[in-house]
Amino acid sequence: MSEFDVSRRRVLKTGAIAGAGVALPTIFTASSAAAFTNEPTGGTVTLGFNVPQTGPYADEGADELRAYELAVEHLNGGGDGGMMNTFSSKALQGNGILGKKVEYVTGDTQTKSDAARASAKSMIEKDGAVMITGGSSSGVAIAVQGLCQEAGVIFMAGLTHSNDTTGKDKKANGFRHFFNGYMSGAALAPVLKNLYGTDRVAYHLTADYTWGWTQEESIAAATEALGWQTVNKVRTPLAATDFSSYIAPVLNSGADVLVLNHYGGNMVNSLTNAVQFGLREKVVNGKNFEIVVPLYSRLMAKGAGENVKGIHGSTNWHWTLQDEGSKAFVKSFGTKYGFPPSQAAHTCYVQTLLYADAVERAGSFNPCAVVEALEGFEFDGMGNGPTLYRAEDHQCFKDVLVVRGKENPTSEFDLLEVVEVTPRAQVEYAPDHPMFAGGNLGACNPGA
């Protein structure tokens, strides 16, 4: 048996090793008939890119798709190779994945869980996708992650920030590179303390779905630990476009901070309404009224325009970072598209390379081999410093950025400035932390 054949023989992690009772190892070889769902048999392999092409997060989805197309180009040997040149793992050679040319299909999640599941199901069953990735909503991510677990394919989450994605709704076949609500709270709280003090009264407006709920819980806990009071928490529909009726009650609430647990078009509209109501000019409790956006992006900043100046929040990554990986990605993306990438583009590009790299290191597309290759994987060169894909919950741990809207931007893309790079150690937590409890990673499902 050749060294290559040996590397393709894997012991599947099931049972206690994957968190589900007694360990019962199963041996498989890549030549097994129908060994797993959509095993590539020809000269190509198909990936499924499931992004919001319509709905409130469509801007994020468009940038995700650009990043996916760039990642495929690099995997197939095109372009300048981008982060493949800076990635600490050197398994990827620019000859596809395991020598198979990478092809892809796309779907529109519509920022709706049912539509996203239907789209992913079609890509798996009709198009033969061996991996699904994408999304810009945690509701979508959790729904598609569950589907992929059932179908026996890997899900590499796109932009999803709810604690639940790698908390109570975590799955063995699912992996998240993006940070989460708890991490935003852990990174933001010390900065908010230094800026605004410990005697503040906060009013929360929150997108009414899994991400909003866990972001609200995380930022409220982090700020209350400083001494802040939370005067009200109000849920808003994801489909809302006018937040005036939600902003008006803030004026008489006694709050001196408005926390907008909104993302994408929701944040653009709610922040705009808040500024129109004159909140930023008000003095309450003897203090200047402040607005905080826990989860920020350059695309949101662009949509909100002048209103973002001086507004603080957190972000997963920013195109101005000067590490070699970030610079390589920004150069590649900018050359191809003419403008810098968003954090959504970054996390989706990285997830695609991480999947491909795991397949190469495992010597197999079998999802259980990929799971084994990703669990506990430590890497660097992809932005955000040394990063760990934690085995217990499939959450990446890395540095988190605190940013604010730039007062004097030099271009339409220079809208946010990094005020602090929060070290990874400050945002880490135990796998059984109460905000993440209640789930069971379970065992990998190879499907067919």
Side-chain angles (χ1 to χ4, degrees), residues 270-305:
S270 63
L271 177 60
T272 300
N273 289 156
V275 172
Q276 288 170 343
F277 270 77
L279 287 184
R280 299 196 71 182
E281 281 74 53
K282 292 198 173 295
V283 175
V284 180
N285 304 326
K287 307 175 184 70
N288 291 334
F289 195 98
E290 304 292 350
I291 301 175
V292 177
V293 178
L295 179 59
Y296 232 147
S297 82
R298 177 181 61 79
L299 298 176
M300 290 157 56
K302 182 178 180 181

Side-chain angles (χ1 to χ4, degrees), residues 234-252:
V234 177
R235 305 289 168 82
T236 63
L238 185 59
T241 55
D242 184 351
F243 292 85
S244 300
S245 63
Y246 296 100
I247 299 294
V250 179
L251 297 168
N252 300 314

Side-chain angles (χ1 to χ4, degrees), residues 119-252:
S119 176
K121 190 170 188 288
S122 176
M123 288 191 282
I124 294 167
E125 295 182 353
K126 295 181 180 179
D127 301 310
V130 73
M131 182 271 276
I132 301 294
T133 179
S136 193
S137 152
S138 291
V140 162
I142 288 167
V144 174
Q145 180 168 260
L147 174 80
C148 290
Q149 181 69 36
E150 298 161 9
V153 301
I154 291 292
F155 176 61
M156 300 295 285
L159 198 157
T160 168
H161 192 242
S162 170
N163 293 340
D164 292 347
T165 308
T166 47
K168 70 179 183 63
D169 294 305
K170 59 182 175 283
K171 301 293 183 205
N173 284 40
F175 290 84
R176 170 164 61 181
H177 171 263
F178 206 67
F179 72 145
N180 57 46
Y182 174 91
M183 295 176 180
S184 284
L188 271 172
V191 175
L192 296 179
K193 176 183 178 180
N194 291 337
L195 286 169
Y196 308 137
T198 58
D199 182 23
R200 284 285 185 164
V201 181
Y203 191 112
H204 288 251
L205 290 182
T206 300
D208 193 14
Y209 74 106
T210 179
W211 167 67
W213 306 333
T214 65
Q215 178 59 91
E216 176 190 273
E217 178 187 25
S218 298
I219 198 72
T223 53
E224 286 169 8
L226 302 177
W228 289 26
Q229 300 176 50
T230 303
V231 69
N232 207 355
K233 299 175 179 178
V234 177
R235 305 289 168 82
T236 63
L238 185 59
T241 55
D242 184 351
F243 292 85
S244 300
S245 63
Y246 296 100
I247 299 294
V250 179
L251 297 168
N252 300 314

Side-chain angles (χ1 to χ4, degrees), residues 1 22 33 50 53 60 70 122 125 144 163 169 172 196 199 205 217 263 279 330 332 337 340 360-361 393 400 418 442:
M1 182 177 290
V22 179
N50 205 22
Q53 299 181 49
E60 310 285 339
L70 182 63
S122 176
E125 295 182 353
V144 174
N163 293 340
D169 294 305
Y196 308 137
D199 182 23
L205 290 182
E217 178 187 25
Y263 196 74
L279 287 184
V330 171
S332 293
Y337 299 112
E360 289 283 354
R361 289 186 294 108
D393 52 10
V400 169
V418 178

Side-chain angles (χ1 to χ4, degrees), residues 4 84 87 129 132 380-381 396:
F4 179 70
M84 284 170 51
F87 187 14
I132 301 294
D380 203 346
C396 265

